[in-house]
Amino acid sequence: MRDLPAIIELIDEAAKWLRKKNTDQWARPWPNRPERDERVRAGIEAGHTWILWDEDRGIPAASVSMDPEGNPKLWDELELDERAVYVQRLVVKRDPEYIGKGIGAQLIDWAGRKARDDYGAEWIRIDVWTTNKALHEYYERHGFTFLRSRRDLDYPAGALLAKPTRDIREPAEPLFTESQQSSWLVVTHPKFRVYWTGSACSNLGIWLHSTAQILLAYRLTGSVIAVGLVGFAQFSGPFFLGPWAETLAGRDHRRRLLISSQVASLTVAAGMAVLQFAGLLNQPLLVVGALALGTAFTLTLPAMRAMAAALVPRADAEAALAAHTMSVNVGRAAGPVIGVGVVGLMGFGWAFTLGAVSFACLTAALVAARPPRARRAQSAARPRPHARVSTVLWPAAGNRRVQLLLLMVACVTMATDPVLVLGPAIVERVGGSDLWAGYIIAALGTGVVLGSLLPARAPSLRLAARHIGALGAAVIVFTVAPRLWVALLAALGAGVAALLAGATTQALVLAEAGDQRHASRVMALWVVACVASRPIASLLDGWLAGGRGAEVAGALLALPALAMWALVIPRVTRVGRAYLAAHQPTTSLARR
């Protein structure tokens, strides 16, 4: 990671210069050198730090960090609720080539434009050294307003300034340009390339297999209740194993866990193929197979993300996770289409066979791609082998914001379920072949992919609620669609809204979690809320559709999403804030 020593050198050089200016700013690394260096490293790994390289001289000219989350020790609740980006560690190299050229001012404006355009932020804010009055004046000359000064010996940078991003303009003569580097360059790492190829095959296979299961359940019985039972079986694993799955993902033997789960999935899929070819696969056996695959999938999901990051240098971990997520989304979009094609042309037995082959591909990739051996200092800090559920769940117990976000996640999961479970019945109602249910599932997955390609906006409760409300509306349109093409478009829109709602709530939950220890625990609970509410939704879908019809079932499952939108959006200043302010957790989960 060449950027870390380069940025540390810039900071140390600036600190030496500041001491000559009779200011106590950075008189010593705050609070000490190891913790300062760790903060810089964490900012780089999180993707919040940018460095300006002089390509002609091959040296760093400046650096700046931008964090979308403010420090709750400095900024009040109303300020933190606004869309803002917080500038940190803005440093220009003390070199005659760069001094007096306006690089600092242009970096401020560049950060403001990036905050506005990439994060949707309304403010760019900064906290500077409390006693450095000259620095306060510098930022005020560049359009910042001095808000207040907070004196705290534990945090010497307590002077707070802010500038509206709407006031930031493009420079007449830019001093630098932003280089664009594709995250797909991470695939050039040989081990990651092998792993990613196997993972992409497995993601295609799991959705191909799941689509075939749903279609076969409906074809065997003609009942939406049967489809709901298959969905319940497939997604019941996270309800019981979700917290432990996240714990197991952090252990040194996660590669063996992944290989074992893929071998188990391969065995189950191959067994279902043999039974189908023999004409022996019935509804009960289909439910048992879905339960086995769902359990294996639960153990695999968090471990696969951890494995993706372990196969590349730490500087490329974020890009590796992005590439892994894209393979998951592409599998979700393309797998159902392939499944429908295979079922239509070759039959269900061959669909299950291809699912088994895809799991074999990932198994082979895991055998070939062995991650570097962890250092002893890292392995000594691994989670305890037998984590209790209370250890995983406690961060949400006293934090109402986390509770509300997890409720939002559950609403997203419940609202998307009708597209999966009710698809065959909706298609049959509008006069289409049951195979079109697979294309509806593919439309939902395609919407997820399209949603992931949209530019990111600064996460907020309002934004999450808008996405959830859009999801609920799309699902209602889907359930009452008079034509097949309307149902397909509604499923596509539901996929986009579901992705945006899920990404926004995940970002907000991570912001609440704070340090890595809390983050892993809260995200385990996020996985439970996201995936484990699916079996409940599937049972409700099947039961309601069997008794009241698909239209009523879909509308009722979309209703919580619309209710969440109605609660948070129109009256957020009264209901939402009152709810969140009613109880402050005894243990802070704020980011440090």
Side-chain angles (χ1 to χ4, degrees), residues 171-511:
E173 297 182 6
L175 297 175
F176 55 85
T177 58
E178 180 181 340
S179 63
Q180 300 294 333
Q181 187 175 29
S182 172
S183 62
W184 285 103
L185 291 178
V186 72
V187 183
T188 59
H189 296 290
K191 289 183 178 180
F192 182 81
R193 182 167 61 248
V194 171
Y195 167 78
W196 186 88
T197 302
S199 174
C201 291
S202 178
N203 287 318
L204 282 171
I206 190 66
W207 281 98
L208 183 157
H209 189 103
S210 298
T211 302
Q213 281 182 162
I214 290 173
L215 296 177
L216 183 58
Y218 194 74
R219 187 167 292 186
L220 287 173
T221 63
S223 169
V224 179
I225 297 177
V227 178
L229 285 174
V230 170
F232 171 81
Q234 183 173 350
F235 293 102
S236 59
F239 188 80
F240 302 103
L241 300 176
W244 288 278
E246 189 73 22
T247 301
L248 289 169
R251 294 184 179 180
D252 293 336
H253 59 257
R254 59 173 168 252
R255 178 169 167 269
R256 293 196 297 272
L257 171 68
L258 278 171
I259 293 174
S260 300
S261 63
Q262 289 302 302
V263 170
S265 299
L266 187 161
T267 304
V268 172
M272 294 177 70
V274 170
L275 289 172
Q276 178 63 21
F277 283 128
L280 300 176
L281 187 58
N282 54 26
Q283 174 66 13
L285 290 175
L286 198 60
V287 171
V288 172
L291 178 63
L293 279 175
T295 302
F297 176 76
T298 302
L299 297 174
T300 297
L301 189 60
M304 287 183 71
R305 289 178 54 84
M307 178 62 70
L311 290 171
V312 297
R314 298 182 74 176
D316 293 334
E318 185 177 357
L321 291 175
H324 168 74
T325 300
M326 180 57 68
S327 74
V328 173
N329 290 337
V330 170
R332 186 172 184 176
V337 176
I338 298 174
V340 170
V342 172
V343 169
L345 295 175
M346 305 169 67
F348 289 100
W350 284 107
F352 296 142
T353 300
L354 286 179
V357 170
S358 73
F359 302 137
C361 289
L362 181 54
T363 303
L366 289 167
V367 171
R370 181 184 294 273
R373 185 178 296 275
R375 295 190 296 270
R376 289 185 179 273
Q378 291 177 327
S379 61
R382 64 181 183 268
R384 293 190 302 271
H386 301 290
R388 296 175 299 175
V389 178
S390 59
T391 306
V392 178
L393 303 187
W394 75 265
N399 190 303
R400 290 199 169 190
R401 190 178 178 91
V402 171
Q403 293 168 8
L404 180 60
L405 290 168
L406 294 176
L407 184 60
M408 286 181 164
V409 172
C411 288
V412 171
T413 301
M414 294 189 71
T416 54
D417 192 76
V419 181
L420 300 173
V421 173
L422 303 180
I426 298 296
V427 168
E428 185 179 54
R429 191 198 68 206
V430 297
S433 165
D434 61 353
L435 292 179
W436 275 97
Y439 292 124
I440 284 177
I441 297 173
L444 179 70
T446 302
V448 170
V449 175
L450 293 177
S452 68
L453 299 177
L454 294 176
R457 294 183 59 187
S460 68
L461 280 177
R462 291 183 182 90
L463 185 63
R466 290 191 186 101
H467 293 324
I468 293 172
L471 171 61
V475 171
I476 289 180
V477 171
F478 168 77
T479 57
V480 300
R483 298 286 187 274
L484 189 56
W485 65 268
V486 176
L488 285 168
L489 287 178
L492 182 73
V496 174
L499 184 282
L500 295 175
T504 305
T505 54
Q506 185 180 33
L508 292 170
V509 169
L510 278 172

